[in-house]
């Protein structure tokens, strides 16, 4: 213990030994070869840590950083032992020399142990050739995915075009059919009218009743054909304009004021936005939804309709909430199909085309329509319109 204490006390003391030049018989050549070699090794060892640090500072994704630092410390310590070997030719600092050697030994072993610990990880690392092969494989897979995507896109485009064409054909058909049906209908209507005028009261009661049935059916047929024509006309004259929905709703309510008054309906509306839309179609949409909300009222309650709009991620969602009879969950999608009705004509009149109209109008504006409803409590119809069309 005393020796250890003395060692550190006399760390810089050089009086115990002569300088190395005086130890033994050095020729100048031998001594300077020794010194120059030590200094060369030291300077090289000294430069290596700087190169390592520069590498780490530039390569931000470098791995094994701790190993680099350990290695830098270990190599610096190695260099220092050579430096002090050279120094001892003039100053015999053998204690410092021994201490530095000890530190070098320690650092060397820490590095060795750390290396052993890292070995499995190092084995698991892929070589650059393996990485290149993997990149190559990925590139190939990506190219395949791109190719598949392109094919899919082409197919979807083809399908969309085909669907659009079929839709157009169908619309054309509905238009022509309903248009052409009007003519024979007009003829039967006028002949039945003639029959009625000329023979009503002169035939037996049954004949009069039959004529009434024919007139009623003709009227229904007229409404149907009229609705169908309207349906096929949606979006024919496409012209987007800025529509202030507050004004639009006011117009709709004005048009419906009689029904509203008769049913003692209460209509509440929040602040509605200005949208880019097909005005006539949008008005029809509002009108159909408000009309239905009043039509499908509960017999013992005044209809209350609330109209609002909310904006989220550039999409506007309108809601028309009522306190009417509601819709069973199984029918909540089906009601948007043309001619789909849930009630007898004697309970609620209508052709079952209103919501099909609404769906077509909303889709024309790039949106979707759906309903949330609790039977016996009421329904809320939602539709979206994207703000930038
Ligand atoms: P129509 O009103 O001519 O029967 P619609 O297409 O407008 O046809 O509606 C289809 C069906 O959806 C209606 O027959 C009705 O049963 C149901 N429906 C529509 N709106 C409402 C509503 N607000 N409340 C309850 N049921 C509704």
């Amino acid at each position: 213990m005393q020796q250890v204490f003395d060692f550190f006390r006399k760390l810089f003391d050089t009086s115990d030994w002569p300088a190395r030049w005086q130890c033994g018989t050095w020729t100048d050549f031998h001594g300077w070869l020794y010194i120059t070699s030590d200094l060369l090794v030291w300077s090289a060892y000294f430069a290596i840590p700087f190169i390592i640090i520069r590498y780490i500072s530039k390569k931000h994704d470098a791995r094994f950083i701790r190993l680099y630092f350990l290695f830098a410390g270990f190599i610096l310590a190695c260099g220092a032992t050579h430096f002090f070997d050279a120094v001892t030719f003039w100053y015999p600092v053998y204690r410092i020399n021994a201490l530095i050697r000890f530190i070098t030994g320690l650092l060397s072993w820490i590095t060795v142990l750390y290396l052993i610990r890292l070995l499995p990880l190092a084995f698991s690392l892929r070589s650059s050739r393996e990485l290149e092969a993997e990149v190559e494989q990925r590139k190939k897979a990506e190219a395949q995915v791109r190719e598949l995507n392109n094919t899919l896109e082409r197919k979807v485009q083809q399908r969309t075009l085909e669907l659009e064409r079929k839709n157009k054909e169908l619309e054309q058909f509905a238009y022509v059919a309903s248009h052409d049906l009007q003519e024979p209908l007009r003829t039967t209507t006028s002949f039945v009218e003639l029959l009625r005028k000329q023979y009503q009261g002169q035939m037996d009661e049954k004949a009069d009743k039959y004529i009434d049935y024919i007139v009623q059916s003709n009227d229904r047929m007229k409404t149907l054909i009229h609705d169908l024509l309207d349906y096929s006309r949606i979006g024919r004259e496409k012209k987007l304009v800025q529509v202030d929905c507050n004004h639009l709703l006011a117009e709709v309510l004005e048009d419906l004021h009689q029904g509203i008054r008769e049913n003692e309906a209460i209509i509440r509306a929040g602040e509605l936005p200005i949208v880019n839309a097909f005005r006539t179609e949008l008005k029809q949409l509002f009108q159909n939804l408000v009309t239905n909300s009043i039509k499908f009222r509960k017999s013992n309650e005044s209809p209350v309709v609330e109209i609002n709009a909310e904006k989220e991620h550039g999409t506007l969602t309108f809601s028309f909430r009522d306190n009417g009879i509601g819709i069973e969950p199984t029918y909540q999608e089906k009601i948007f199909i043309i001619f789909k009705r849930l009630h007898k004509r004697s309970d609620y009149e209508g052709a079952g085309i209103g919501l099909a109209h609404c769906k077509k109008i909303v889709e024309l504006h790039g949106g979707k329509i759906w309903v949330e409803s609790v039977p016996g409590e009421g329904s809320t119809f939602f539709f979206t319109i994207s703000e930038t069309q």
Side-chain angles (χ1 to χ4, degrees), residues 74 78 145 205 230 297 299 301 315-316:
F74 148 72
C78 283
V145 171
E205 257 181 43
D230 274 355
R297 56 172 293 184
S299 53
E301 255 181 78
T315 302
L316 288 162

Side-chain angles (χ1 to χ4, degrees), residues 292 295-296 322 327 335 340-343 350-352 354-355 381:
N292 277 354
K295 184 160 76 172
F296 297 102
D322 65 47
I327 303 158
I335 51 171
K340 185 78 198 169
R341 309 190 70 246
L342 307 181
H343 306 277
L355 286 179
F381 282 83

Side-chain angles (χ1 to χ4, degrees), residues 227 288-297 320 322 324-327 331 334-343 348-358 371 373 378-381:
D227 285 349
N288 286 1
L289 292 177
V290 175
T291 311
N292 277 354
S293 296
I294 298 174
K295 184 160 76 172
F296 297 102
R297 56 172 293 184
F320 286 64
D322 65 47
I325 56 170
I327 303 158
Y331 295 116
K334 293 193 182 115
I335 51 171
F336 296 99
I337 299 170
I338 194 163
F339 298 134
K340 185 78 198 169
R341 309 190 70 246
L342 307 181
H343 306 277
Y348 296 96
E349 63 169 46
I353 209 167
L355 286 179
H357 247 123
C358 294
V371 66
S373 176
S379 318
T380 309
F381 282 83

Side-chain angles (χ1 to χ4, degrees), residues 97 127 210 230 233 350:
N97 205 338
S127 68
Y210 293 160
D230 274 355
R233 275 190 192 125

Side-chain angles (χ1 to χ4, degrees), residues 147-163:
E147 179 64 37
L148 273 175
N149 259 349
N150 285 346
T151 321
L152 208 70
E153 238 167 59
R154 269 200 304 277
K155 280 204 175 135
V156 170
Q157 258 173 8
Q158 265 174 9
R159 264 277 158 83
T160 317
L161 281 178
E162 214 170 291
L163 264 173

Side-chain angles (χ1 to χ4, degrees), residues 96-108:
I96 293 182
N97 205 338
L99 191 63
I100 284 179
R101 273 164 200 279
F102 179 69
I103 292 170
T104 309
L106 270 184
L107 275 177
S108 312

Side-chain angles (χ1 to χ4, degrees), residues 32 89 94 188 225 239 289 339:
W32 280 107
F89 273 83
Y94 285 110
T188 37
I225 290 176
K239 199 165 160 242
L289 292 177
F339 298 134

